Amino acid sequence: MASKKNQHPTLTGAEIIWATLVGEGTTTVFGYPGGAILPAYDALRKFPIHHVLVRHEQGASHMADGYARASGKVGVAIATSGPGATNLVTGIATAMLDSIPIVCITGQVSSKVLGTDAFQEIDITGITLPITKHNFLVTRAEDIAPTIREAFQIAQTGRPGPVLVDITKDAQQATAPFDFAAAAPAPHRPHPMLRAESASIKEAIALIAAAKKPVILAGHGIIVSGARDQVIAFAESRNIPVASTLLGLGAFPTDHPLALGMMGMHGESWVNEAIQESDLLLAFGMRFDDRVTGNLAQYAPHAKKIHIEIDPAEISKNVHADVALIGDLAQILDTLLPLLPKKSDASWIKQINALKGDASVRDIINLPDNGHLYAAHVIHDIWCEARDAGRLEQTVIVTDVGQHQMWEAQYYRHDYLRTLITSGGLGTMGFALPAAIGAKFACPEKDVWVIAGDGGFQMTASELATIQQEKIAINIAVINNGFLGMVRQWQEIFYEKNYQCTPILSPDFVLLAAAHGIAGATVRERKAVIPTVTQARTSGKPFLINFQVEKEDGVYPMIAPGAALHEMTRRPTKNPLMETPEDV
Ligand SMILES: Cc1cc2nc3c(=O)[nH]c(=O)nc-3n(C[C@H](O)[C@H](O)[C@H](O)COP(=O)(O)OP(=O)(O)OC[C@H]3O[C@@H](n4cnc5c(N)ncnc54)[C@H](O)[C@@H]3O)c2cc1C
Ligand SMILES: Cc1ncc(C[n+]2csc(CCOP(=O)(O)OP(=O)(O)O)c2C)c(N)n1
Ligand SMILES: [Mg+2]
């Protein structure tokens, strides 16, 4: 008995939190202290974990998210009870909507006063119920290790997602024996529906063999599943073109002859037209978001749909699946691949290429330097600079939300997994700067760029101080158009240019960076873009570039709300910023 006790030391609940995190492989956490989590902070010094002090707990949940997206591992955020916990909420919801594995640990008031409106008591498990994959309230020290271990398992198995563990102060102060191995959860039991029925496999193969105009819809699930090689082999074996969702960018090489580009509201015109003409859609780990489908009643009317998806709840949620294969994408593609009859006919690809029509004429990227600094050109040049430096695989772009986010998706070519980190489902402004800090901790050897708008950057700019304190080299490109640009564009098109509350005044971003000991420069001309980007990348220190760009530029193509996928508004041909009668 005695020797057994020695093997499993008695620790405080606070120590058990860290010991369990160490056992799960956590090396970095993002957090902010306060009363209800103080016992845990007191014990931190005994454990080999680096704590990044954020400036707002929203930053902690976004950093954990950026860490997870960049590495594929679980990101961890820590906060106190009450306002600390509620500040995490936007980051948790962001992770939930994009299926990102994070574990958030919050302190809670002591169990004896639970439910009394004690100081800084808030029902955070109640608040986060709809925005977590699962959450727990822990009131006993002996439950801490098993609960945190289960949280890690839930966060990363099946469809990943955020898990919150709320731990009372008395549970942190009490003691219990710590046995990491004994705290392991029961092995993950896949959902009973997780199987690709052999009948469904046969149906899928028959549909694929019969299809003349198939399109693969490449989603985020490819990255989660690690199914890139299988998707490439699948596309090549039958010459099937591949369209990507925003979150699927990087899953399929852009220079591959079968790569079409991004689909959806701001996707390429020929990609959306190909989907509308298709007779078979193969949805690989994507969930038919409304930004992807446009008007559902008119979506891909001639196409049968095969949906390969790990979450049964996604099947036929938005778009009816003729064949559903439920399970891990890589595993299902491994089953399908040997059964696929080969086909090399390129006539469908030729038809899609013909759909491109005058797309390149309308493409702002082909405009010569006319003295205007367009955001699309800036982003394209950031890509060119990384390419010419041979750093594309080693460059992670973290975008905020708005026009710059869409131009990034259109003009930065992502050929490698986990090189684009962006908030797709919740579309959270303020995401980029903290998520980039998380990504840099996950991949310190990579070049990490923030691409943010002047609006969103101001939402979490306080995290510049975190960069300063942590001495991490992150590059920041603020695409400064003086507007909440994406909203301004909607006001331009749908609200008769009534620019209510969208012109936005900003501080001098270069001076703001300087106040944090961060170097910076303002760029107003195209010729200065690449040299300044090189200066930032090679400085080995954080660097902010304020790109003063065209104020009233628009993102094209665009599908208006309620319109079908093929009913796109295209970039005007004569004047890139203003429609002329010839364009309508
Ligand atoms: C301003 C703005 C504009 C936007 N415009 C566009 C646009 O034009 N085009 C566009 O595409 N998006 C656009 N988006 C993003 C859009 O809202 C969605 O976030 C995006 O389309 C979701 O992509 P997804 O379905 O691939 O990824 P997710 O939403 O992450 O879904 C991934 C799916 O894969 C499944 N999955 C996970 N793991 C596995 C596995 N191992 N095996 C099988 N399946 C798995 C999940 O269960 C989930 O259903 C825009 C967002 C914003 C903010
Ligand atoms: C937290 C939050 N509030 C509001 C919005 C709505 N919204 C979407 S894009 C956008 C404008 C973004 O402006 P900016 O950051 O300057 O980027 P730009 O569109 O100009 O590139 C707004 C207000 C949002 N997505 N997130
Ligand atoms: Mg802006």
Side-chain angles (χ1 to χ4, degrees), residues 58-292:
Q58 180 184 350
S61 41
H62 288 326
M63 286 180 208
D65 177 322
Y67 182 95
R69 294 190 203 226
S71 64
K73 297 186 209 148
V74 175
V76 179
I78 314 270
T80 192
S81 65
T86 55
N87 274 352
L88 290 175
V89 164
T90 299
I92 297 174
T94 304
M96 182 70 181
L97 278 253
D98 289 348
S99 301
I100 306 301
I102 63 171
V103 168
C104 296
I105 295 176
T106 45
Q108 181 55 281
V109 299
S110 277
S111 54
K112 283 176 256 358
V113 293
L114 272 176
T116 67
D117 294 334
F119 178 63
Q120 297 194 328
E121 179 187 3
I122 202 79
D123 176 11
I124 196 63
T125 47
I127 288 173
T128 58
L129 193 67
I131 54 162
T132 48
K133 192 172 165 191
H134 198 65
N135 67 28
F136 302 88
L137 171 63
V138 182
T139 56
R140 301 183 328 156
E142 53 268 45
D143 295 336
I144 291 176
T147 309
I148 292 179
R149 293 210 63 183
E150 197 178 345
F152 269 75
Q153 187 191 58
I154 293 170
Q156 55 194 325
T157 49
R159 179 179 186 167
V163 181
L164 181 129
V165 184
D166 195 28
I167 308 176
T168 59
K169 193 167 184 178
D170 53 333
Q172 297 171 51
Q173 287 162 329
T175 55
F178 174 66
D179 181 351
F180 183 77
H188 171 66
R189 293 228 324 270
H191 191 286
M193 283 179 72
L194 286 192
R195 54 180 193 266
E197 309 271 6
S198 56
S200 304
I201 294 273
K202 272 193 197 137
E203 278 180 71
I205 294 291
L207 284 181
I208 295 164
K212 296 199 162 45
K213 298 177 174 183
V215 176
I216 290 172
L217 306 179
H220 184 202
I222 300 174
I223 298 166
V224 179
S225 170
R228 178 187 167 98
D229 292 346
Q230 287 90 334
V231 174
I232 294 172
F234 195 103
E236 287 176 350
S237 80
R238 294 208 44 96
N239 241 2
I240 305 178
V242 179
S244 292
T245 65
L246 175 68
L247 296 187
L249 294 177
F252 196 80
T254 60
D255 59 356
H256 194 288
L258 293 169
L260 294 183
M262 189 170 79
M263 65 182 93
M265 179 178 267
H266 292 296
E268 305 287 4
S269 57
W270 64 87
V271 184
N272 289 336
E273 283 169 11
I275 290 170
Q276 292 301 78
E277 282 196 23
S278 161
D279 62 2
L280 179 66
L281 293 181
L282 295 132
F284 288 178
M286 55 81 71
R287 61 180 175 88
F288 292 107
D289 184 271
D290 54 72
R291 300 256 146 159
V292 157

Side-chain angles (χ1 to χ4, degrees), residues 403-404 453-456 479-486 504:
Q403 289 185 311
H404 63 280
D454 41 348
I479 306 297
N480 190 346
N481 54 11
F483 273 106
L484 300 175
M486 186 55 98
I504 184 167

Side-chain angles (χ1 to χ4, degrees), residues 117 171 209 255 297 308 339 351 365 376 462 488-489 524 526 545:
D117 294 334
D255 59 356
I308 309 184
L339 307 173
Q351 282 180 56
I365 212 68
S462 55
R488 184 209 60 75
Q489 181 172 345
R524 293 190 170 80
R526 178 133 194 218
I545 312 177

